[in-house]
């Protein structure tokens, strides 16, 4: 049913591999591993507009949160009416609680398509093609070597092999650990940048809280993921961490700890020679007013009109 999706993903890999083969050997792990990494980077570049839309949706939800809390308090005994009023508030203000999930929803088909393509490559018999990949390309991908491991290798498969290939076990094991850690830190970083006031009003925040606890369990699923899928996951998570750090450090969400820290940083005067040069000159001090000298004039005593002697 999803063969059309697998055809698209495999065709993208073939095109990128063909371009990289002009620089590195076409049968090397650099060509096939680089194809997966570049596919991930191109996908994330295409998702930048959706990420920006996600940021705007999140901030819109933060702005509406006080009104949502007021509606919940007003209709706390009537959940149906409360939900109707909250949805009406969202519609009137052009907010969509699910728009924050768009980047994840777009990534999932590519993840599934890449997983199925690499799984078919690992299971393909000699002389068989896989979707848009010819038998020669399938054989090349199967034999591509990345530090002693092959792209279709899984940790459980390498562990259960007889004899065991320890290089494949180590490489896939390290990839599982890194993918689990990057998943956890990317979700945790997103949660830390959410204002505490959003609470349960933001469904995306609820999903992120759940993901913080689910992320460590990703390692259990990753044990059976092909190395190529783990490379995709690590690259995507690393991109997310860098992108989040840049966007939120430049434009911190209103009311968040990052915004408060940025405001405090901007408020502090910066030192150095440049700051001294740019410092505005202080206004000249006003001259102190001199105290007035009061002279005591001699008082004239009244005289008698006849004798001219002063009166007693």
């Amino acid at each position: 049913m999803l063969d059309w999706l697998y055809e698209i993903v495999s065709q993208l890999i073939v095109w990128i591999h063909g371009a990289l083969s002009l620089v590195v050997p076409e049968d090397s792990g650099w060509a096939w591993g680089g194809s997966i990494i570049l596919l991930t980077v191109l996908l994330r570049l295409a998702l930048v507009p959706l990420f920006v839309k996600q940021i705007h949706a999140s901030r819109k939800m933060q702005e509406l949160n006080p009104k949502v809390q007021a509606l919940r308090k007003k209709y706390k005994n009537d959940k149906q009416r409360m939900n109707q009023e909250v949805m009406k508030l969202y519609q009137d203000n052009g907010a969509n609680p699910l728009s924050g999930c768009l980047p994840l929803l777009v990534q999932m088909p590519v993840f599934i398509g890449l997983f199925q393509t690499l799984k078919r490559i690992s299971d393909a018999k000699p002389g068989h093609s896989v979707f848009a990949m010819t038998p020669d390309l399938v054989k090349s991908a199967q034999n591509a070597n990345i530090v002693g491991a092959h792209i279709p290798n899984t940790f459980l498969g390498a562990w259960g092999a007889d004899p065991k290939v320890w290089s494949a076990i180590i490489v896939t094991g390290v990839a599982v650990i890194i993918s689990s850690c990057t998943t956890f830190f990317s979700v945790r970083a997103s949660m830390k940048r959410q204002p505490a006031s959003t609470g349960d009003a933001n469904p995306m925040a609820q999903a992120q809280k759940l993901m913080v606890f689910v992320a460590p369990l990703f390692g259990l699923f990753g044990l059976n993921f092909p190395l190529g899928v783990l490379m995709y996951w690590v690259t995507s998570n690393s991109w997310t961490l860098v992108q989040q750090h840049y966007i939120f450090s430049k434009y911190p969400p209103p009311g968040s700890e990052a915004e408060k820290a940025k405001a405090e940083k901007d408020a502090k005067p910066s030192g150095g020679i440049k700051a001294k040069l740019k410092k505005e000159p202080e206004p000249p001090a006003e001259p102190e007013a001199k105290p007035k000298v009061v002279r005591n004039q001699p008082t004239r005593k009244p005289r008698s009109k006849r004798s001219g002697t002063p009166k007693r």
Side-chain angles (χ1 to χ4, degrees):
M1 184 173 63
L2 295 177
D3 286 353
W4 61 272
L5 175 63
Y6 308 150
E7 289 282 348
I8 294 175
V9 174
S10 60
Q11 185 63 65
L12 290 174
I13 294 176
V14 170
W15 286 339
I16 298 174
H17 174 264
L20 288 178
S21 298
L22 301 175
V23 182
V24 296
E26 60 180 357
D27 296 329
S28 65
W30 292 103
W32 287 105
S35 300
I36 297 172
I37 294 174
L38 281 179
L39 174 63
T40 308
V41 171
L42 292 175
L43 172 66
R44 296 311 304 267
L45 283 174
L47 289 179
V48 168
L50 289 181
F51 182 79
V52 174
K53 189 175 182 179
Q54 178 188 11
I55 297 298
H56 290 307
S58 177
R59 295 191 175 185
K60 178 66 72 173
M61 296 294 295
Q62 294 166 21
E63 294 173 359
L64 296 177
N65 185 59
K67 297 182 180 180
V68 172
Q69 295 297 335
L71 290 174
R72 290 188 173 187
K73 186 177 181 180
K74 182 178 180 180
Y75 300 103
K76 61 181 179 180
N77 296 326
D78 189 352
K79 291 187 176 181
Q80 183 177 0
R81 179 68 184 279
M82 179 187 69
N83 293 332
Q84 291 175 353
E85 293 295 330
V86 170
M87 291 306 299
K88 182 181 178 182
L89 177 66
Y90 288 156
Q91 291 175 359
D92 294 342
N93 291 273
N96 186 0
L98 299 179
S99 59
C101 303
L102 284 177
L104 180 62
L105 294 177
V106 174
Q107 287 184 77
M108 286 307 296
V110 179
F111 176 82
I112 295 172
L114 185 60
F115 179 84
Q116 289 295 329
T117 299
L118 295 175
K119 190 175 185 302
R120 299 286 182 89
I121 290 174
S122 61
D123 297 337
K125 297 180 180 180
H128 285 72
S129 60
V130 173
F131 304 121
M133 300 178 66
T134 63
D136 292 338
L137 289 175
V138 171
K139 182 180 179 181
S140 176
Q142 288 177 337
N143 296 327
N145 187 290
I146 300 179
V147 198
H150 300 289
I151 290 178
N153 284 153
T154 65
F155 179 84
L156 294 179
W159 184 266
D162 189 19
K164 291 181 174 60
V165 182
W166 289 104
S167 58
I169 293 174
I170 294 172
V171 172
T172 53
V174 171
V176 168
I177 294 173
I178 295 176
S179 60
S180 301
C181 292
T182 52
T183 301
F184 172 76
F185 285 118
S186 60
V187 177
R188 183 171 176 266
S190 180
M191 282 297 302
K192 288 180 66 176
R193 293 185 174 101
Q194 291 288 341
S197 59
T198 54
D200 298 331
N202 192 345
M204 189 60 184
Q206 295 180 357
Q208 288 174 340
K209 288 180 180 179
L210 180 62
M211 282 297 296
V212 170
F213 300 99
V214 174
L217 299 178
F218 177 79
L220 299 178
F221 300 102
L223 294 175
N224 201 34
F225 283 175
L227 178 60
V229 174
L230 296 175
M231 293 173 61
Y232 163 82
W233 202 254
V234 170
T235 306
S236 181
N237 288 342
S238 301
W239 180 285
T240 300
L241 284 171
V242 175
Q243 183 175 256
Q244 285 179 343
H245 178 74
Y246 174 77
I247 294 294
F248 287 108
S249 61
K250 195 172 182 62
Y251 307 104
S256 64
E257 294 296 331
E259 186 191 39
K260 296 177 182 178
K262 188 173 186 295
E264 292 178 358
K265 183 179 179 181
D266 295 340
K268 292 180 180 179
S270 57
I273 299 176
K274 292 184 178 180
K276 293 180 180 179
L277 293 175
K278 293 181 180 180
K279 187 176 180 181
E280 296 182 359
E282 296 182 358
E286 296 181 359
E288 296 182 359
K290 296 182 179 180
K292 294 182 178 180
V293 179
V294 180
R295 296 182 179 180
N296 295 324
Q297 298 291 338
T299 57
R300 299 180 63 183
K301 296 181 180 182
R303 297 176 177 272
S304 174
K305 293 182 179 179
R306 294 181 179 180
S307 60
T309 59
K311 293 182 179 181
R312 293 182 180 178

